[in-house]
Amino acid sequence: MIVNAPDRRQPRFHFRPAQNWMNDPNGLIQWQGQYHLFYQYNPAGPYHARIHWGHAVSRDLVHWEHWPVALTPTPGGPDQDGCWSGCAVDNAGVPTLIYTGVHPQVVCLATSADGLRRWDKHPASPVIAGPPPEIAAGTGGHFRDPFVWREAGQWHMVIGSQAAGRGGLVLHYRSPDLLRWEYLGPLLAGDATQAEPVWTAAMWECPNFFALDGQHLLFFSAQTAPGELLYPVYYAGAFDGQRFQPRAQGILVHGQSFYAPLALRLDDGRLVVWGWLKEARSEAAQRAAGWSGALSLPMTLGLTPAGELRIEPVAELQALRQAPRHFAELALSPGRAGWLDGLHGDCLEIEAVFEASPEAEFGLQLLAAPDGQEQTRLIYAGRTQRLSLEADQASLSPDVDRGVRRAPLSLAGGALRLRVFVDRSVIEVFANGRLCLAGRVYPTRPDSLGVDLLVRQGPVRLKSLTAWPLSAIWER
Ligand code: FRU
């Protein structure tokens, strides 16, 4: 195996395997005081092929320890071409993984008898051999990513699919024993012609379904027909055990870098979600780097009474903070720079509170070279009520996506409170506890580290800003 030189784009406080490819988080479960994370993993290289389940364990949601690979495709078995995404449940004391075998896409089980280290494929696999016959033709064989929960003495499952030419599907099943599954119908069917408030495209993968704040939250990841990955979409609504009636809808995490999220209900009641942070550079660049993909920070989810999303990074991340720097009460005007006295870094958390007039346009400059040749900007524009991550000058490399990523955000006359996490090639921004915008940027210059305030139109007042260098999660 080729061991690549250290890469300054490798995140330091986001989980990822030491090398090679990862995509979706899988099988999240809290077991005897530890959090278990599984993930789509290719041990053979930094590209998507013959997917295994990697495995890691944490006691605090922040620091992780790598464990041996949990699932490997079995030659001649229903998962011979890959162990694709799925979930984990506690089946009366037996830890059980419920995952997608390919090809064709089927539902498989594996169990562990030694404390989640070794996994045995269940001889009854596949427990569902394909989509329900009455809709199979329209699914084109897309039938994946089982998500299972227990309710009223039964197991329930949702699984992603599509009705070709119409839109995505979340299919609903029920079982007494995880082995015999009865198809109950679609939990939700999409309309690919609907553009507002969110286009949900052609195929839905990785569904999740939870009771949350007196409502139910459904989310899934939307794909276009040719397999372009878009974003995770959520619906909030009412569920009576059989029928789900959505009433609010949106994008779970904006920016088109965060995909295929999976959530875990912690024993303390919080609902915490992680997603796959896709790369935004060419396949050739990923192969040259020797690694691809990282896990997002853990984020808690909630719903307002109107079904709007609440989203915040988990409090446990504060364990990574080093000595802070503070700034306060600055009246900001356009055309000036150097507000933050040389603040710099590429592994940082920044918490900033701004008060601004409705037409103001302002924000932060990140990962900026001293001469500004490389820089990423995070801008709030009052007029358009949008938060944007502007990556058009983020990198001198020709191999990267330099798109501008936008998310709608109304301040309704109030302040803007940002929590920004910069981890080399990863930027995650939380705004007012109401939205998350995630992006990937690949500065090439070693001195692209600067942080500054930026005002295009005032008046704007910085109430306070605190910046912490964050430590790596692999060093205790
Ligand atoms: C989402 C996804 C899942 C599938 C897995 C394969 O990113 O396409 O639908 O199970 O990745 O790795």
Side-chain angles (χ1 to χ4, degrees):
M1 196 202 306
I2 302 161
V3 178
N4 299 78
D7 174 0
R8 281 196 63 84
R9 266 69 59 185
Q10 279 180 352
R12 299 181 77 229
F13 59 87
H14 285 77
F15 173 84
R16 56 176 198 86
Q19 312 247 4
N20 302 323
W21 170 272
M22 79 163 279
N23 58 301
D24 317 353
N26 294 146
L28 292 164
I29 191 165
Q30 191 172 0
W31 194 272
Q32 294 176 350
Q34 294 192 314
Y35 304 103
H36 288 259
L37 159 72
F38 303 84
Y39 56 92
Q40 296 282 282
Y41 177 51
N42 177 12
Y47 49 88
H48 188 272
R50 205 162 170 266
I51 292 292
H52 295 48
W53 276 33
H55 186 186
V57 176
S58 173
R59 291 191 177 277
D60 63 0
L61 299 172
V62 176
H63 298 89
W64 294 93
E65 182 187 312
H66 291 295
W67 276 29
V69 163
L71 296 179
T72 298
T74 300
D79 61 7
Q80 64 173 341
D81 289 335
C83 302
W84 284 16
S85 287
C87 63
V89 296
D90 177 353
N91 182 15
V94 180
T96 304
L97 306 180
I98 304 150
Y99 67 100
T100 309
V102 290
H103 289 106
Q105 296 175 14
V106 297
V107 177
C108 296
L109 298 187
T111 57
S112 175
D114 71 348
L116 288 75
R117 265 185 196 276
R118 229 200 59 200
W119 293 88
D120 303 307
K121 310 265 173 89
H122 195 291
S125 297
V127 294
I128 308 180
E134 61 268 38
I135 62 162
T139 66
H142 290 281
F143 182 68
R144 59 180 177 270
D145 313 333
F147 175 86
V148 176
W149 73 97
R150 191 139 180 99
E151 181 163 331
Q154 300 264 319
W155 295 104
H156 287 251
M157 173 195 291
V158 283
I159 188 163
S161 189
Q162 69 169 4
R166 295 217 296 273
L169 288 174
V170 171
L171 309 178
H172 184 194
Y173 286 77
R174 193 171 52 199
S175 169
D177 55 7
L178 297 177
L179 300 172
R180 291 165 292 155
W181 291 95
E182 175 195 1
Y183 174 55
L184 300 177
L187 188 76
L188 193 70
D191 174 0
T193 63
Q194 173 205 307
E196 295 294 335
V198 176
W199 180 48
T200 64
M203 158 66 202
W204 293 353
E205 37 191 18
C206 302
N208 280 224
F209 194 52
F210 287 95
L212 184 62
D213 294 335
Q215 302 159 62
H216 267 75
L217 174 71
L218 173 71
F219 62 81
F220 52 80
S221 292
Q223 246 198 26
T224 59
E228 188 195 339
L229 313 181
L230 290 180
Y231 35 65
V233 176
Y234 75 88
Y235 288 80
F239 181 60
D240 62 8
Q242 196 112 18
R243 270 180 358 116
F244 176 56
Q245 288 183 296
R247 62 188 187 119
Q249 182 187 356
I251 291 179
L252 194 77
V253 171
H254 299 264
Q256 299 201 15
S257 285
F258 176 106
Y259 195 75
L262 183 66
L264 173 65
R265 170 77 65 193
L266 307 190
D267 292 349
D268 66 17
R270 286 179 292 169
L271 185 63
V272 176
V273 70
W274 287 260
W276 163 39
L277 295 171
K278 298 183 285 170
E279 299 301 323
R281 54 182 175 177
S282 68
E283 266 183 49
Q286 294 172 47
R287 283 188 188 251
W291 65 282
S292 177
L295 193 71
S296 74
L297 294 178
M299 311 169 184
T300 50
L301 295 178
L303 291 172
T304 69
E308 292 160 346
L309 197 69
R310 295 183 197 280
I311 185 162
E312 296 264 24
V314 300
E316 282 85 344
L317 290 163
Q318 293 176 18
L320 299 175
R321 290 175 174 174
Q322 307 297 302
R325 292 187 63 189
H326 298 290
F327 303 85
E329 302 299 346
L330 297 176
L332 307 179
S333 49
R336 238 197 78 181
W339 298 97
L340 300 179
D341 188 26
L343 181 67
H344 66 278
D346 59 1
C347 293
L348 288 174
E349 177 185 350
I350 300 164
E351 181 161 25
V353 181
F354 296 91
E355 281 175 3
S357 63
E359 68 280 2
E361 193 168 331
F362 61 96
L364 288 165
Q365 191 186 44
L366 303 164
L367 296 172
D371 61 4
Q373 192 189 29
E374 284 185 329
Q375 56 174 289
T376 301
R377 292 172 303 269
L378 175 65
I379 300 288
Y380 184 72
R383 235 188 320 243
T384 53
Q385 304 206 329
R386 279 203 305 225
L387 187 67
S388 304
L389 191 63
E390 300 180 351
D392 50 303
Q393 281 178 267
S395 175
L396 293 172
S397 164
D399 258 355
V400 308
D401 177 348
R402 283 192 213 77
V404 176
R405 305 297 186 202
R406 299 191 175 90
L409 177 67
S410 160
L411 302 186
L416 174 65
R417 183 172 63 87
L418 295 176
R419 298 256 319 261
V420 182
F421 293 85
V422 178
D423 191 6
R424 296 182 151 189
S425 59
V426 174
I427 299 182
E428 281 150 309
V429 182
F430 298 84
N432 288 2
R434 299 299 295 274
L435 78 75
C436 177
L437 171 62
R440 302 296 307 271
V441 291
Y442 303 89
T444 60
R445 286 176 48 165
D447 59 353
S448 291
L449 297 170
V451 182
D452 205 349
L453 299 170
L454 201 153
V455 183
R456 290 180 180 153
Q457 177 156 350
V460 183
R461 191 168 184 82
L462 177 79
K463 295 300 292 173
S464 64
L465 184 147
T466 307
W468 297 265
L470 297 189
S471 54
I473 58 174
W474 313 107
E475 302 157 0
R476 291 264 190 179

